[in-house]
Amino acid sequence: MQTPIPPSSPFPTRQPTPPSSTQPLYRRLAEHYLAVIKAGTLVPGDRMPSVRHLMRQHEVSLSTALQAWRHLEQGGWLEARARSGYFVRQPKRAAIGPATEPASLTVQDPAQYIGIHQRLSAIIAQGRQQAVSVDLSSCCCASELYAANALKRAAIRALRHDPSILTTILPGNGHASFRNAVARRALRAGIQVAAEQVLVTQGGIEAVNLALRAVAHAGDIIAVESPTFYGVLQALESLGMRALEIPTSPSTGMSIEALELALRTHDNVKAVVVVPNLQNPLGCSMPEANKDSLIGLCERHGIALIEDDTYSELADNGIPLTALKARDKSGNVIYCASLNKILAPGMRLGWMTGGRWQARVEMLKYSQTRANEVLTQIAAAEFMLDGAYDRHLRRLRDYLRGQRDRMAEAVASYFPQGTRLSVPDGGVMLWVELPRPLSSQAIFEEALKRGIRIAPGTMFSNSNRFDHFLRLSCGHPYTEAVDQAVQFLGNVSRQMLMQAA
Ligand SMILES: Cc1ncc(COP(=O)(O)O)c(C=O)c1O
């Protein structure tokens, strides 16, 4: 027997489930209703259709319908009331403003030996002086979120099968099985690369260093996002290159307009380093049109484009993020990737494909570190070609989504009014903008005294302009201790704000 749909229901009678090839059915259904809630068609307090109604309307099973509502409940968008059903609610994080957009058309002076090493060393040394019980500073996930046992089994199998892998010299560009596995995976990001064009590196950071050394020399200017991953600033400082910080939007990534202006202003910019997907620390991804513009701009100016793709695989299921490299027709993009965040931080695996600088990056790698260690490559290759890798990634993404939501809820609940935040569609971190004149460096120091470590905004630029931001990691389980730590950070911020008033 069919329950009639109430006349006020915003849902049409048979509604097809929105299509998508990658997401499970319950997720598609949940996303569909989430869009309806976000559009304001359903407002807090509205009753959702019953589970039975959902089953009939979308021709799905009871468990799919229940999973869809539970998924929205976990995200804080619905609440279940005993014997009454599910009702719309608004999570606190939805009411908090997004991080402020930068003033786009400003060109900074390229900084030289500005002291990022000194600043980071000071922050790291401070961080080590105190015993840390809650670490919100690292953007790796908790060890238990990775498939340690499956990787162990793969490594043991590889050794049993051929112990001589440990005693045989390896080609400089890496083990064929691993190069093959990453080349196959890269197809999903739209990148067509032959295994011979893959160079295995010591994580993503070696790849970025090699790319910089291949295209520029000491004294050259390199355009980077602002804020940017501090490892890029360190690499530039070590190589004697100068970072030109380009305003970067928390929603759309590096400003193409500002980059264009910078390229007109400075004539010795040799490369642009960019994290187009799930940028660190902002979490933003460039719109597809901006990716095209960026490629065109770099080609017109004859400067290399270094793409750092560390987090794409952590985009929420169903959100396709394409690589710049997938659009590269001329070989002007050097693509650098890391498996440390997604597969196993302890294996230190990364890879790159150097476009027209391939021979040069291979030579530089050979001259500097020779080939990577072999056992991790073989174990990783076996795991990646198995369906277990996709299952692992699905679990990791789901887990991280829950963590981000919970952390964002806590920030919205505990931090002072005027705090802003954009919750990214994937990844391990939240970039929190504090009301001025709060200083994340001062909060960092107070937090350390309580055994809490965060990443202050000053780590992500050669300037001080991000001192009122902090980056919080969502890679660890959201325990009571983490909640108390976020509450402490919020309280300290309030107190400091009151003292400053
Ligand atoms: C954007 C970005 N690139 C590169 C790296 C370094 O990666 P790996 O640990 O693989 O060297 C990181 C690490 O945090 C990062 O966030």
Side-chain angles (χ1 to χ4, degrees):
M1 202 183 82
Q2 295 226 334
T3 318
I5 301 166
S8 62
S9 167
F11 310 106
T13 40
R14 292 247 180 253
Q15 202 173 32
T17 313
S20 158
S21 53
T22 52
Q23 280 186 313
L25 189 53
Y26 82 90
R27 280 291 299 274
R28 284 185 267 156
L29 208 50
E31 296 299 337
H32 175 67
Y33 282 95
L34 182 56
V36 174
I37 295 172
K38 284 186 174 168
T41 312
L42 286 168
V43 295
D46 277 355
R47 183 196 203 129
M48 294 301 280
S50 69
V51 169
R52 285 190 183 289
H53 178 86
L54 203 61
M55 289 164 62
R56 273 197 306 276
Q57 193 168 7
H58 296 282
E59 294 168 349
V60 295
S61 69
L62 175 65
S63 86
T64 300
L66 267 174
Q67 267 183 305
W69 275 186
R70 285 196 186 130
H71 180 76
L72 290 176
E73 188 188 9
Q74 275 161 14
W77 294 98
L78 295 186
E79 69 173 292
R81 293 189 198 153
R83 288 184 294 281
S84 304
Y86 284 88
F87 291 79
V88 178
R89 69 183 288 271
Q90 195 189 39
K92 290 204 172 86
R93 64 183 186 277
I96 200 168
T100 311
E101 290 292 328
S104 220
L105 284 179
T106 48
V107 181
Q108 308 291 325
D109 284 333
Q112 188 165 25
Y113 301 116
I114 202 75
I116 195 75
H117 278 324
Q118 211 177 338
R119 181 184 295 177
L120 286 173
S121 302
I123 291 174
I124 292 165
Q126 268 178 303
R128 284 192 185 141
Q129 275 160 16
Q130 219 77 32
V132 170
S133 54
V134 179
D135 188 0
L136 303 176
S137 70
S138 148
C139 46
C140 269
C141 304
S143 162
E144 64 267 26
L145 297 182
Y146 298 102
N149 279 325
L151 289 167
K152 178 189 84 175
R153 287 193 297 273
I156 291 172
R157 267 196 303 276
L159 275 179
R160 272 212 199 102
H161 174 69
D162 182 9
S164 75
I165 53 173
L166 296 178
T167 50
T168 307
I169 196 160
L170 194 67
N173 55 352
H175 195 271
S177 66
F178 181 65
R179 287 188 282 113
N180 204 24
V182 294
R184 281 204 201 188
R185 288 294 303 188
L187 281 173
R188 295 171 184 229
I191 302 171
Q192 286 183 13
V193 59
E196 300 77 59
Q197 298 293 304
V198 169
L199 174 64
V200 182
T201 58
Q202 275 283 336
I205 200 64
E206 187 185 31
V208 171
N209 271 274
L210 290 171
L212 286 168
R213 291 175 65 209
V215 300
H217 297 102
D220 287 337
I221 298 177
I222 309 295
V224 299
E225 294 148 324
S226 186
T228 187
F229 164 52
Y230 55 79
V232 172
L233 298 175
Q234 283 185 299
L236 292 176
E237 190 169 324
S238 324
L239 296 169
M241 297 174 190
R242 292 180 293 156
L244 179 62
E245 297 190 24
I246 306 294
T248 299
S249 152
S251 53
T252 55
M254 182 182 271
S255 160
I256 307 295
E257 273 179 303
L259 177 63
E260 203 159 5
L261 181 63
L263 297 184
R264 273 191 263 125
T265 314
H266 298 282
D267 56 10
N268 57 339
V269 177
K270 286 289 157 48
V272 179
V273 181
V274 71
V275 184
N277 296 324
L278 296 175
Q279 200 258 9
N280 179 7
L282 295 170
C284 59
S285 298
M286 288 180 101
E288 301 299 284
N290 290 23
K291 291 179 182 168
D292 288 334
S293 307
L294 179 59
I295 289 182
L297 187 61
C298 290
E299 274 179 1
R300 280 198 301 285
H301 284 263
I303 59 175
L305 185 47
I306 300 174
E307 173 173 25
D308 177 345
D309 190 12
T310 296
Y311 298 100
S312 285
E313 289 271 28
L314 297 182
D316 274 352
N317 283 334
I319 299 176
L321 292 179
T322 56
L324 296 173
K325 188 67 189 168
R327 301 163 154 79
D328 178 29
K329 304 264 186 315
S330 64
N332 196 44
V333 177
I334 303 184
Y335 177 83
C336 306
S338 168
L339 294 171
N340 287 318
K341 310 291 187 271
I342 53 181
L343 176 71
M347 291 170 101
R348 293 295 310 149
L349 282 170
W351 67 277
M352 69 193 298
T353 184
R356 70 176 120 101
W357 293 274
Q358 181 68 18
R360 193 161 162 74
V361 292
E362 286 186 10
M363 182 276 289
L364 288 168
K365 162 87 176 157
Y366 183 74
S367 73
Q368 194 169 317
T369 54
R370 302 290 201 269
N372 272 42
E373 175 283 310
V374 67
L375 184 57
T376 50
Q377 293 183 59
I378 299 178
E382 191 185 308
F383 183 70
M384 287 170 77
L385 291 176
D386 184 24
Y389 186 43
D390 278 320
R391 286 195 294 281
H392 155 70
L393 285 176
R394 270 199 298 276
R395 265 198 310 273
L396 188 58
R397 290 182 200 119
D398 275 354
Y399 184 84
L400 290 176
R401 188 175 23 74
Q403 293 296 104
R404 283 192 309 274
D405 285 352
R406 293 188 72 178
M407 184 69 86
E409 271 315 274
V411 170
S413 307
Y414 302 139
F415 275 65
Q417 213 181 356
T419 300
R420 301 172 76 92
L421 171 77
S422 310
V423 187
D425 292 323
V428 196
M429 60 196 90
L430 288 183
W431 181 239
V432 181
E433 181 176 355
L434 304 165
R436 289 181 197 260
L438 280 179
S439 154
S440 63
Q441 183 67 34
I443 296 172
F444 165 75
E445 284 164 19
E446 271 316 297
L448 266 184
K449 293 182 196 157
R450 281 285 282 260
I452 302 163
R453 190 157 56 204
I454 56 166
T458 44
M459 292 174 80
F460 302 94
S461 165
N462 277 327
S463 76
N464 261 333
R465 71 181 149 261
F466 298 105
D467 188 26
H468 64 299
F469 287 84
L470 50 91
R471 192 192 70 184
L472 296 178
S473 161
C474 312
H476 286 254
Y478 198 89
T479 56
E480 186 57 35
V482 172
D483 191 66
Q484 279 172 11
V486 182
Q487 197 164 355
F488 176 81
L489 296 171
N491 289 342
V492 165
S493 305
R494 274 173 213 285
Q495 279 158 19
M496 287 182 175
L497 210 50
M498 265 158 36
Q499 280 157 12

